[in-house]
Amino acid sequence: MPSADPSARSAPPHSQPVAAPATGLLLTGGGARAAYQVGVLEAIADIRNACGEGQGPNPFPIITGTSAGAINAAALACGADHFDRAVRALPACGGSSMPARCMVPIR
């Protein structure tokens, strides 16, 4: 007879391991917020460099945004392989505007 204790049951043979949660970056809309976002992203890049992770992988595998935040998110996503370089290019873009000079070169 099976045990009545639910903790005693083993996982079904078809169950799969649960993936680790991913950290996402959500950038909200608004011109002033977009400018503040650049400062926060620069601080994250500085912390990564101080910890020796400056050349490491992008800390945000999910990047999204709304309105002006979407413009910053798009600029970051374009340079996702080089997060710190993409962050450093954001101030040249004037925060939430994206002229041609803002395109992050992929090397």
Side-chain angles (χ1 to χ4, degrees), residues 20 22 24 28 36 77 86 89 94 98 100:
T28 58
Y36 289 126
M98 180 146 341

Side-chain angles (χ1 to χ4, degrees), residues 18-85:
V18 177
T23 301
L25 178 65
L26 169 63
L27 302 175
T28 58
R33 284 189 189 118
Y36 289 126
Q37 290 165 2
V38 172
V40 171
L41 291 166
E42 287 177 338
I44 291 170
D46 290 343
I47 291 168
R48 285 170 43 86
N49 284 327
C51 295
E53 290 293 320
Q55 299 302 316
N58 186 332
F60 304 108
I62 302 167
I63 303 172
T64 189
T66 300
S67 190
I71 295 172
N72 283 342
L76 283 177
C78 287
D81 290 341
H82 302 284
F83 177 80
D84 294 348
R85 188 181 335 160

